[in-house]
Amino acid sequence: MITLALANLLLDSVLRDGRPVYVSLHTGEPGEDGSAEVLGEGYARQRVAFGRARDRVSLNDGQTEFPDMPDVSVTHIGLWDAAHGGAFLWGSDRIDPAVGVARGGILWIESGNLAIKMLIE
């Protein structure tokens, strides 16, 4: 069994302790490798900060902005350890309904709206 204390420490060690974490947007299931990542226009992964984990959950701390997007329908969100390439760390469940963004538009993830939960108990 992973205790609550260990789950919180693991989340903090990956999402907070000195390493940058980047959020990505996807047009389909990212799987194990982060596939179906949005491409084109000015899209780029954005650095995201997380608050301290509580009760097996880490929430993003601050708004994340994706400017100058292509015309796209975002169905999933991911986390990476690098702005380009790197290791894919996490992928969300399907966003329903998908979030549509018009070409040149901006997509925001508001503070506290991105939750990473340790499901192993």
Side-chain angles (χ1 to χ4, degrees), residues 61-95:
D61 186 21
Q63 179 176 282
T64 303
E65 180 177 305
F66 291 86
D68 196 26
M69 291 284 291
D71 188 25
V72 69
S73 182
V74 176
T75 63
H76 294 77
I77 297 172
L79 294 180
W80 298 78
D81 68 354
H84 305 283
F88 183 64
L89 304 174
W90 172 87
S92 73
D93 291 334
R94 182 173 177 77
I95 299 168

Side-chain angles (χ1 to χ4, degrees), residues 3-28:
T3 66
L4 178 61
L6 179 56
N8 290 340
L9 285 170
L10 290 169
L11 285 167
D12 286 344
S13 72
V14 172
L15 300 176
R16 289 185 48 90
D17 294 338
R19 291 181 212 130
V21 177
Y22 297 85
V23 65
S24 59
L25 305 175
H26 300 260
T27 60

Side-chain angles (χ1 to χ4, degrees), residues 36-118:
E37 187 171 1
V38 169
L39 297 171
E41 298 297 317
Y43 170 78
R45 295 177 194 161
Q46 300 297 314
R47 191 164 178 177
V48 62
F50 286 90
R52 286 264 173 230
R54 293 189 60 203
D55 298 324
R56 300 178 189 270
V57 177
S58 290
L59 298 174
N60 65 315
D61 186 21
Q63 179 176 282
T64 303
E65 180 177 305
F66 291 86
D68 196 26
M69 291 284 291
D71 188 25
V72 69
S73 182
V74 176
T75 63
H76 294 77
I77 297 172
L79 294 180
W80 298 78
D81 68 354
H84 305 283
F88 183 64
L89 304 174
W90 172 87
S92 73
D93 291 334
R94 182 173 177 77
I95 299 168
D96 190 22
V99 177
V101 183
R103 182 176 179 196
I106 300 171
L107 186 141
W108 289 276
I109 301 174
E110 298 294 334
S111 183
N113 283 351
L114 179 55
I116 310 302
K117 183 173 185 175
M118 176 77 66

